[in-house]
Amino acid sequence: MFAYLVRRIIGGIVLLIVMSLVTFALFFASPVNPADFSCGKNCSPAQKKQTAAALGFDDNFFNQWADFGKGVFVGRDFPDDPKLRETAPETIAHCPAPCLGYSRERTANVTSLIKETLPVSVSLAILAFIIWIVGGVLFGVIAALRRGTIIDRGLVGISLVLYAFPTFFVGLLLYKFVAIKWGWVDIPRYETIADGGITGWASSLILPAITLAVFFMAAYVRMTRAYVIESLSEDYVRTARAKGLPARAVTFKHALRAALTPIVTMAGLDFAGLLGGAIITESVFNYPGLGKLAVQANRDYDLPTLVGLVLLLAAFVIIANIIVDVLYAVIDPRVRLS
Amino acid sequence: MSDTSTKHDAFLRVEDLRVHFPTADGVVKATDGLSFELARGKTLGIVGESGSGKSVSSSAILGLHRGTRAQVSGQILLEDVDLLQLSDEEMRRRRGLDVAMIFQDPLSAMHPYYTVGNQLVEAYRVHNNVSKKAARTRAIEMLERVGIPQPDRRVDDYPHQFSGGMRQRAMIAMGLINNPGLLIADEPTTALDVTVQAQILDLLQDLQREFNSAIIIITHDLGVVAEMADQVLVMYAGKAVEYGPTKELLVRPEMPYTWGLLSSVPDVTADTDSKLIPIPGNPPSLLNPPSGCAFHPRCPHKDKVPGRLCWTVQPELVPGRQGMGHLKRCHLPDPDQVYALEVLPEFDPELASELAQARIPDPAADAAAGPAAGPAAGTAAGTATPDTADERDAQ
Amino acid sequence: MTTEPVDELKPHPETSSLTGTPILEVEDLKMYFPVKSSGFLRRTIGHVQAVDGVSFQVRSGSSLGLVGESGCGKSTTGRLITRLYEPTAGRIEFDGRDIANLSERELHPLRRDIQMIFQDPYTSLNPRHTVGAIVGAPLAIHKVVPKDKILARVQELLEIVGLNPEHYNRYPHEFSGGQRQRIGIARALTLQPKLLVADEPVSALDVSIQAQVVNLLQDLQREFNIAFLFVAHDLAIVRHFCPEIAVMYLGKIVEIGDRETLYARPNHPYTQALLSAVPDVKQAKVGGRRERIRLEGDLPSPINPPSGCRFRTRCPIAQDICARVEPPLLQVGPTHKVACHFPGEVGKHPEKPITPRLLGVDDSGMPDLAAGPATDLPTGPGYSDTWFDLEHNTMGRA
Ligand SMILES: Nc1ncnc2c1ncn2[C@@H]1O[C@H](COP(=O)(O)OP(=O)(O)OP(=O)(O)O)[C@@H](O)[C@H]1O
Ligand SMILES: Nc1ncnc2c1ncn2[C@@H]1O[C@H](COP(=O)(O)OP(=O)(O)OP(=O)(O)O)[C@@H](O)[C@H]1O
Ligand code: SF4
Ligand code: SF4
Ligand SMILES: [Mg+2]
Ligand SMILES: [Mg+2]
């Protein structure tokens, strides 16, 4: 088990390195020259060159990548160009490790940009996750156990409708009605735990979290239902009934336990995906999370920020994968003991 | 050998059991009017091809169709208590205690996430108010009884750590942990190698002797039936088509479908030049069973019955030529003649000539009894289950 | 050293069918699958000796049956012959050519001649392709008939295997299990193979359908003169289909011979146990269970097979020598070989091992200097004219 974990972690690191190379290569090969972008419309070729040098884009691909790697572990100074540093020492910005790059557009280290925005996205993801897992699994199990009845059809029908609703639409509806028209909650504005306490934090997040959860919940109701129905028809559930176990024990101890395994896997990966920012929801509610940062960076062609975000998200997904696999081994003895 | 005549000492009596599944395409009559009985210490073998309703019928005895859309009717009398009249809770209390079941694939029939011991303990504690520790001792004792080496250690293994044969032993241990009067084994050895199958069958017989339990063994292997069962029930399309003491039924079968089963499998001693005689065609649809005799589209002997009776009239399950204990569902007036002269010589000439000699002393009686064996005779005899009128689609 | 052959060893009429020219000859074939450690580096820490030195012949237009318990290496042998695996060692001579180590490209033309039928009719056919596409694919791949003739050939093949030729446009799920197996057979026949490896072709089918498929295979064999390597665990079906049968145990052939000898007078304790375990319908006449040789325990792991004779952990008559020396597959009749130190019919196993003199050991299996060097034993596939005479404990001659 331990060896397995070590192997997975090393594999994850290798994967991250490869990911960073690929990300770099993709941006490198991009048709738009970021130097043009940053230098503005009326730029002479010489100015362009200078900008490129300032941004470090004139170096070759591998050197840039190596510089980036160095930054992650020991930090680095910007701009890269030694000539520029000499001529204009006042522009030097230090980017301490772990340095994910320096955004000229935002004149800030990518790391600190992420540090500011990450808590918002994480808070949102956690709250949404709780809502959708509890709701999705609960309603999914109910639908499966009441299979074929009105309840089942109702739950499945509602989840289908919700699933089809675009997220921005759900978000706008909640915003316009719940917050503005009916005034059930304050106009959503992000509050940290430090500022508003747990309740302030949670209530500031509740609308965007619900918005985000609706889609996932709808998907999880149907997924849970399918897995529970499948596991209810497993041979070992029949065995459990044949032993004379009460229906409750059959359902919860035997059928659900097996059905939840794939759900745990899915949930872990979905959660990791959300940590990287919920672009639409954050935009609708104007929350300063990673998603919003990504949108802005994309608009401004802020390559360092984009690279940093992509790699962060990749890291989340890779870590979640490892955690999910370990959980899997904990749940399923066949994985653990083979 | 046969106990079918004396109804009162029957431990299990199934009367006119029907299990119908309403589906979008219509009603699937998986079991349609099944009757049999079984005494303690005896074994009933149920044979028939895939989809003939063997598993559905036997799960009905455990009440496993409760809570599903299946419609179950008839009577299942276990020591004169009709299991179908019990409440769900009463039935649950009997499952695993009075009636236990073991299934074909022991890997999928055990929960992969719980240890073997855990699952045995659970089975014991549902019906016995004992401590976990006592239940565990009992589980180890049962594992030991079914021949698992080092049971005190293996009790903590997960099912996937057992070999196929050991898993089936563990299933048997779980089935018998409460010492039930009736054990239903649904294809207990189909997934196993012959050597392991032999071990499991030995075990079942030893345990039956020890606990005097009644066993229903479902299989498609007539060899297993021959060695294990006292009585055989041949099922086709949800109905019994032949039912009687093993010895008679397998030596002098009277129904073309049984003949087909016997002649389509080779024997380890058969003549290798003889061809296998397959049953032509495919199993019938249970949604739209064929008219008349359900077997008629595949029956090579239907032309021997006058008046297209096989197409139009569903035969009753009535006593055949060998006494009241041996019932068959077929219009053929002289099945033993056809069997001895046409069927047997093709796949087992040796036995054919043996039987022919045995038949010589009393040809007159055979001839006299022949035409009499019709549906009317059977209903009058009373042992047979009269089919309800609505399903007899006489046109 | 020639002895008169005893009466019992006279060639049985049945054995004449074992004289055709071999189309396939396998010698000392081995397949070891590496076992990886669960540690960090995943080193190879051992091998599954799935097939460990088997030799046999399949004669043109005839059938060899492979039987044995689950996991003994039957399927692996079949897959080696069709070269789905590359053998670890050994020779596979097909039609006079060693194909054991040919590259994929060199194998391409040979794939026409060796085809395989699989056990599971449900998973071995691509559900998204029509029957016509499935059966016709080999024709297109090997470009044997012009494109516009493919359909005609497919319909012909469907007809041969007893399916309605009009159904070429249907999908596998529209067919029953037996019909699907026919589709698989039609696909295997498309290129008119000389050798068919049938891996449990009827095990997944219902009893009443099995006979249809077995008869079909038999008809096809006669009509097209196809040789079969027939893998199955149903001893009765194998006997029905194959004039020659090999019994495998833990990757090795323990007994091989013509079916009459093998089933009527098996000499290896494992074959005897296997045969005695088969339930027999005829038992109904007598009632009760048949007397049988009970085998204790489970199949040992093929990763660490027992030393000496691999069957010794479960053998009712094992002695010291069995743990020390591996018994050679010794020819004991005109078409009968057995790998046991104490070969003999049930209840007539010799008191003393018969092999020490051949192997240069004493009766308990310790090296015996006095016995001199081991005799050169013929170990190749096929049968020779001389064999070991069990009655006189010497090499005899037909
Ligand atoms: N829940 C259900 N709904 C509809 N049809 C069903 C249901 N359960 C079983 N059946 C049908 O009932 C018939 C009998 O099934 P059953 O499992 O008893 O067959 P069997 O004789 O045990 O066959 P096998 O040898 O394959 O186990 C089959 O045709 C099956 O499709
Ligand atoms: N690709 C593989 N990698 C590792 N081990 C394998 C592989 N294929 C087969 N084995 C092992 O080799 C042994 C022989 O397997 P094989 O499938 O040949 O058995 P078999 O005789 O066909 O059994 P069965 O009757 O169950 O089909 C088994 O122990 C199996 O686990
Ligand atoms: S009743 Fe007719 S069709 Fe049915 S089995 Fe008898 S002879 Fe065949
Ligand atoms: S060699 Fe020994 S262990 Fe092997 S089969 Fe013969 S007697 Fe048994
Ligand atoms: Mg069944
Ligand atoms: Mg196999």
Side-chain angles (χ1 to χ4, degrees), chain C residues 15-154:
Chain C
T15 58
S16 51
S17 65
L18 299 189
T19 52
T21 48
I23 184 153
L24 176 76
E25 193 168 286
V26 168
E27 191 170 349
D28 207 20
L29 191 63
K30 292 185 181 167
M31 185 73 219
Y32 291 1
F33 295 106
V35 183
K36 303 276 195 220
S37 75
S38 57
F40 170 60
L41 285 175
R42 308 214 118 239
R43 277 165 303 130
T44 299
I45 47 168
H47 287 94
V48 179
Q49 304 181 5
V51 174
D52 194 20
V54 302
S55 306
F56 56 79
Q57 290 177 335
V58 182
R59 288 162 187 80
S60 176
S62 181
S63 315
L64 173 71
L66 277 186
V67 297
E69 269 170 290
S70 180
C72 68
K74 308 182 294 292
S75 299
T76 306
T77 308
R79 286 162 173 262
L80 284 168
I81 307 294
T82 42
R83 277 299 315 275
L84 292 173
Y85 297 145
E86 178 158 3
T88 309
R91 189 167 61 87
I92 305 172
E93 197 173 301
F94 177 75
D95 225 359
R97 181 158 173 225
D98 188 355
I99 62 166
N101 300 303
L102 293 189
S103 69
E104 201 53 42
R105 207 161 47 84
E106 290 168 314
L107 277 173
H108 187 74
L110 282 166
R111 296 239 181 258
R112 290 180 58 169
D113 292 335
I114 310 179
Q115 290 285 324
M116 189 149 183
I117 308 173
F118 297 93
Q119 166 168 5
D120 190 344
Y122 292 88
T123 54
S124 57
L125 302 176
N126 187 332
R128 275 183 287 278
H129 290 176
T130 62
V131 168
I134 291 171
V135 176
L139 291 173
I141 294 169
H142 288 266
K143 302 191 186 67
V144 265
V145 288
K147 264 221 167 85
D148 53 331
K149 296 269 168 54
I150 288 186
L151 180 61
R153 175 79 181 127
V154 164

Side-chain angles (χ1 to χ4, degrees), chain C residues 369-398:
Chain C
L369 297 174
T375 328
D376 238 357
L377 286 170
T379 54
Y383 304 97
S384 62
D385 296 341
T386 45
W387 63 81
F388 192 87
D389 181 352
L390 287 177
E391 298 262 317
H392 300 88
N393 228 341
T394 47
M395 290 304 278
R397 177 170 272 282

Side-chain angles (χ1 to χ4, degrees), chain B residues 118-187:
Chain B
N118 200 326
Q119 300 185 50
L120 262 78
V121 163
E122 190 181 33
Y124 191 56
R125 291 193 43 181
V126 198
H127 301 293
N128 298 277
N129 192 10
V130 294
S131 71
K132 277 206 173 130
K133 209 163 153 238
R136 189 183 151 89
T137 314
R138 170 79 179 152
I140 295 173
E141 188 186 303
M142 279 313 288
L143 288 179
E144 169 132 52
R145 180 63 199 85
V146 297
I148 305 263
Q150 298 174 291
D152 47 337
R153 241 193 49 214
R154 301 310 296 259
V155 70
D156 292 323
D157 278 0
Y158 288 91
H160 75 272
Q161 293 169 299
F162 274 27
S163 72
M166 278 161 66
R167 273 180 220 134
Q168 197 57 289
R169 285 168 193 272
M171 274 301 286
I172 293 176
M174 189 155 87
L176 295 180
I177 200 162
N178 293 309
N179 204 349
L182 173 65
L183 179 71
I184 302 172
D186 190 352
E187 315 222 15

Side-chain angles (χ1 to χ4, degrees), chain B residues 99-112:
Chain B
V99 194
M101 189 155 177
I102 57 179
F103 301 98
Q104 169 171 352
D105 183 354
L107 182 58
S108 63
M110 298 193 101
H111 202 294

Side-chain angles (χ1 to χ4, degrees), chain A residues 87-269:
Chain A
T87 50
E90 73 283 359
T91 59
I92 293 181
H94 179 66
C95 174
C99 173
L100 291 172
Y102 179 79
S103 163
R104 288 256 305 194
E105 274 75 11
R106 267 162 263 288
T107 54
N109 290 331
V110 174
T111 313
S112 48
L113 285 174
I114 287 176
K115 261 191 202 145
E116 279 164 30
T117 47
L118 184 63
V120 182
S121 291
V122 171
S123 306
L124 196 55
I126 289 176
L127 211 61
F129 181 75
I130 293 173
I131 298 174
W132 105 59
I133 285 297
V134 171
V137 172
L138 190 74
F139 292 130
V141 170
I142 291 175
L145 294 182
R146 299 269 173 276
R147 187 177 171 195
T149 62
I150 295 265
I151 299 175
D152 176 27
R153 268 181 246 143
L155 283 170
V156 171
I158 292 172
S159 68
L160 259 179
V161 171
L162 291 181
Y163 189 76
F165 266 25
T167 305
F168 74 86
F169 186 59
V170 177
L172 283 178
L173 279 185
L174 289 174
Y175 198 99
K176 291 268 146 67
F177 283 89
V178 180
I180 296 175
K181 191 155 179 208
W182 300 328
W184 290 350
V185 295
D186 293 339
I187 305 274
R189 244 185 49 234
Y190 180 66
E191 237 176 307
T192 59
I193 294 188
D195 290 347
I198 288 275
T199 42
W201 170 80
S203 67
S204 78
L205 281 168
I206 192 75
L207 283 193
I210 291 178
T211 307
L212 206 50
V214 159
F215 172 82
F216 284 101
M217 194 157 92
Y220 274 64
V221 166
R222 293 190 306 148
M223 194 171 75
T224 308
R225 177 180 180 274
Y227 282 125
V228 173
I229 285 176
E230 191 190 309
S231 90
L232 278 173
S233 69
E234 290 284 354
D235 283 358
Y236 51 77
V237 170
R238 186 184 54 186
T239 308
R241 295 187 63 205
K243 283 201 272 198
L245 286 188
R248 186 187 303 256
V250 174
T251 310
F252 289 96
K253 197 171 163 198
H254 289 257
L256 271 191
R257 167 118 193 240
L260 289 183
T261 319
I263 296 173
V264 166
T265 312
M266 288 296 295
L269 298 182

